[in-house]
Amino acid sequence: RTMVNSFKRFLISIDNKIVIMMKKRGVDLLRYSIGIIFIWFGFLKPLGLSPAHDLILNTVYWFDNREAFIPILGYWEVAIGISMIIRPLIRLSIFLLFIQMPGTFLPLVLLPSVCFVDFPFSLTLEGQYIIKNLIIISSSIVVGGSVR
């Protein structure tokens, strides 16, 4: 019985150390992850390499020069990423991100045939690409809660 209790205390001790490490590093890992994603995806746009190129063009149909919009959006995303990584600029990053994010969901409304195989549950790859932004929004809220 004492051997079982000793082993249990040992596991609890390890668990506590892991939780402390995750608490200490988790928000920074979120910041860097969000930053890398925005920098990476952002740079693809002005280079003409974004897999979302056609989706964006079809979503912003009201712009006179839709092709010019894509590099601007790309640089905006790079700015989000860089400012997310640089701690004093987190507030700016979150501000830029929350201006940009509603637009990422527009295809769900404007182009449902592109986003859904069977509305509302079965998503296409494009729909999945859009829905994954929920985790970016939630992660940004967590990061925003750490700025003070």
Side-chain angles (χ1 to χ4, degrees):
R1 186 132 173 122
T2 45
M3 182 125 167
V4 171
N5 286 337
S6 293
F7 186 66
K8 185 176 177 182
R9 282 193 302 274
F10 172 73
L11 289 177
I12 290 170
S13 169
I14 290 174
D15 184 62
N16 285 335
K17 288 176 184 175
I18 292 169
V19 168
I20 289 167
M21 186 274 304
M22 288 192 291
K23 191 178 247 186
K24 184 176 181 182
R25 300 284 179 227
V27 172
D28 287 336
L29 290 173
L30 278 176
R31 281 182 35 237
Y32 297 135
S33 298
I34 295 167
I36 289 167
I37 288 168
F38 272 95
I39 292 168
W40 192 332
F41 287 19
F43 269 131
L44 292 176
K45 289 175 177 70
L47 297 174
L49 301 173
S50 175
H53 184 272
D54 291 340
L55 183 64
I56 296 165
L57 283 181
N58 292 328
T59 301
V60 294
Y61 60 86
W62 59 86
F63 276 84
D64 289 336
N65 188 352
R66 294 180 294 164
E67 286 291 341
F69 177 80
I70 292 177
I72 293 167
L73 177 61
Y75 292 127
W76 184 284
E77 290 177 355
V78 170
I80 291 170
I82 290 171
S83 58
M84 182 63 74
I85 289 171
I86 301 171
R87 189 151 183 67
L89 301 178
I90 292 173
R91 284 181 176 89
L92 172 63
S93 179
I94 292 171
F95 174 73
L96 295 173
L97 186 143
F98 278 93
I99 290 173
Q100 184 254 3
M101 267 300 138
T104 66
F105 289 96
L106 279 177
L108 296 175
V109 176
L110 299 178
L111 305 168
S113 63
V114 173
C115 299
F116 296 95
V117 174
D118 186 26
F119 183 83
F121 300 112
S122 184
L123 293 162
T124 63
L125 194 55
E126 291 85 356
Q128 293 174 40
Y129 181 83
I130 294 165
I131 293 297
K132 65 99 177 85
N133 288 327
L134 292 173
I135 196 72
I136 292 175
I137 293 168
S138 299
S139 297
S140 298
I141 290 169
V142 171
V143 169
S146 75
V147 295
R148 290 190 181 193

